[in-house]
Amino acid sequence: AENMILHPMAKVDLSGIDSEYAILVDAGTGFKLAGKAEKEQMYPASMTKIMTYIVTAETVSDLQNTRTTVPESVAEELEGTGSSLAEIQTGESFTIYELLNLMMVPSGNDAALTLAKYVDSLNITADDPQYDEDGDGKMSCVELMNKKAAELGCTNTHFVNPHGLYDENHYTTAREMATITKYALTMPYFTDVTSQTYYTQPPTNMTSEERTVTTTNRMLLSYDDEYYTYATGVKTGSLNESGYCISATATYDGYSYLVVCMGSPYIDSEGNHIDYHGEMYDAATLFRWAFLNIENKTLVTDGELLGEVSLKYAWGKDRLQVLAQGNLTATLPSSLESGAITTKLDLPESVKAPIKKGDYVGTATFYYNGTE
């Protein structure tokens, strides 16, 4: 906990955070409110599927009507891995949208791999050789995932597969996973899919009955101890090497926050599985703190008087009032001590007539306890 680095506004005891890596950001702006080793590399486990979703959604133009069939190679590649599965079968036909649900809700590695193989089959031409890792002139799903990470500024992220099974070259950071998740929230159907407690798969060409799968995100399940009333998504992950992980969102009273927690204890010293989901309790702790202690405050409103400057060459007038152009809001503590907000005006000593209302004169910079 002594490694928890907070934004200067954050005065909160986070000694109870068990996750080795964590970050709390504003879901809309990405503004960081708190972080713990958030720039250090770690294995993302099934949070990887957030990027798989992004690449699929940006590659397939009609998610609802495009269909693909589960290839035999999916079962072969996942055999013996102990993967979380959606229990789809070789030869079974699904829409891409159905597979996205089967990947994100029950965290089906088989669904993720099926989606990746469909994207591979599109034979997308490599327009940048640095992301064509196998040099075949085409962009595979995984290569597209790495290209997208780079486009989002995620320089400490690299993917090797679409599902998140362990590989030493498959890594990201809490900070960059938050960036990836924030972007994913803009993808078609993403919030609908990842906020579900259950998904019911209609009958397919190989089944005559519906199948219902349950989310791995216990923060959404009202009957679980990890349930958090204001949670809205997104994706869990767990591996021996990564511990328990979660990228989570929550909304309350018009405020939305995003938390990524990684490296919560998953196995004990004797190698036994731990059922306590510390990453979810940590996420709830960070959400609770933000909802109770942080709010958007209006620092200045459009047209508000900020100061005066000398005015030259105007008959009978020697001073000019300067007003705010537009509103300015900032994420700040709910309770502000006296004098915490200061303003620095950057104005010329004088301005020359003619000048009219709406003309630019200078800037006003606002500070909270010295932080811009």
Side-chain angles (χ1 to χ4, degrees):
E2 63 271 13
N3 294 325
M4 179 66 74
I5 301 171
L6 304 175
H7 184 272
M9 77 175 63
K11 297 179 179 178
V12 58
D13 179 12
L14 294 175
S15 58
I17 298 295
D18 292 324
S19 300
E20 293 184 41
Y21 317 89
I23 191 168
L24 164 69
V25 301
D26 183 295
T29 64
F31 182 79
K32 187 186 90 171
L33 294 168
K36 177 183 180 184
E38 77 274 12
K39 295 182 181 180
E40 295 185 20
Q41 290 179 356
M42 185 54 172
Y43 310 113
S46 283
M47 292 192 301
T48 298
K49 292 164 183 158
I50 298 172
M51 182 59 90
T52 306
Y53 190 112
I54 291 172
V55 166
T56 302
E58 292 193 332
T59 304
V60 181
S61 59
D62 189 348
L63 301 175
Q64 293 274 11
N65 296 302
T66 304
R67 302 192 70 87
T68 190
T69 300
V70 182
E72 185 176 354
S73 57
V74 168
E76 293 174 350
E77 290 183 32
L78 295 177
E79 184 177 1
T81 62
S83 288
S84 57
L85 301 173
E87 304 295 344
I88 60 179
Q89 305 175 57
T90 299
E92 199 166 11
S93 176
F94 297 94
T95 67
I96 299 301
Y97 176 74
E98 289 170 339
L99 286 169
L100 289 172
N101 280 275
L102 292 168
M103 174 178 71
M104 300 302 284
V105 179
S107 198
N109 286 3
D110 44 2
L113 198 51
T114 301
L115 287 168
K117 289 182 178 297
Y118 177 77
V119 172
D120 292 347
S121 73
L122 299 178
N123 292 317
I124 299 170
T125 301
D127 57 0
D128 191 334
Q130 68 175 312
Y131 301 111
D132 181 16
E133 296 185 15
D134 57 12
D136 64 352
K138 304 294 182 181
M139 294 296 288
S140 68
C141 181
V142 171
E143 288 170 341
L144 288 168
M145 291 164 67
N146 287 321
K147 181 182 179 184
K148 192 66 192 182
E151 290 173 355
L152 294 174
C154 299
T155 57
N156 285 307
T157 294
H158 185 262
F159 298 109
V160 174
N161 58 61
H163 39 62
L165 287 177
Y166 170 72
D167 187 290
E168 65 178 359
N169 293 315
H170 190 98
Y171 52 80
T172 188
T173 69
R175 168 77 266 186
E176 295 187 358
M177 183 51 64
T179 299
I180 292 167
T181 303
K182 180 179 176 295
Y183 183 80
L185 293 171
T186 68
M187 293 292 98
Y189 309 113
F190 184 82
T191 55
D192 294 336
V193 169
T194 59
S195 64
Q196 296 176 106
T197 53
Y198 305 94
Y199 168 69
T200 299
Q201 171 61 44
T204 69
N205 61 317
M206 297 182 66
T207 61
S208 59
E209 297 181 352
E210 294 180 338
R211 289 170 284 175
T212 298
V213 292
T214 305
T215 182
T216 57
N217 186 355
R218 300 187 187 187
M219 296 184 76
L220 300 176
L221 298 172
S222 60
Y223 55 79
D224 264 325
D225 292 340
E226 294 86 357
Y227 176 66
Y228 182 65
T229 306
Y230 307 113
T232 56
V234 173
K235 188 71 192 76
T236 64
S238 59
L239 285 172
N240 287 2
E241 296 83 0
S242 67
Y244 282 122
C245 305
I246 193 167
S247 183
T249 52
T251 299
Y252 170 71
D253 197 26
Y255 293 90
S256 295
Y257 296 103
L258 166 62
V259 165
V260 175
C261 291
M262 306 170 70
S264 180
Y266 180 68
I267 54 176
D268 62 23
S269 59
E270 298 179 356
N272 298 313
H273 174 260
I274 297 172
D275 194 45
Y276 176 80
H277 280 264
E279 83 289 8
M280 297 187 189
Y281 289 106
D282 290 346
T285 296
L286 290 166
F287 286 138
R288 192 174 298 112
W289 174 78
F291 288 135
L292 291 174
N293 295 280
I294 298 296
E295 65 182 42
N296 291 329
K297 291 182 179 291
T298 299
L299 299 180
V300 65
T301 58
D302 187 41
E304 184 175 335
L305 177 64
L306 292 179
E308 292 185 342
V309 294
S310 295
L311 178 63
K312 293 184 177 181
Y313 311 135
W315 180 261
K317 299 181 184 296
D318 60 4
R319 303 292 294 173
L320 182 76
Q321 291 184 329
V322 290
L323 312 178
Q325 185 180 58
N327 300 320
L328 179 65
T329 61
T331 305
L332 292 164
S334 301
S335 299
L336 289 174
E337 61 273 25
S338 177
I341 303 296
T342 55
T343 309
K344 178 183 177 182
L345 295 177
D346 185 5
L347 301 171
E349 290 186 9
S350 63
V351 295
K352 298 176 181 179
I355 188 168
K356 64 182 183 298
K357 184 176 180 180
D359 285 351
Y360 171 83
V361 176
T363 62
T365 305
F366 291 79
Y367 298 86
Y368 171 73
N369 287 342
T371 298
E372 185 176 335

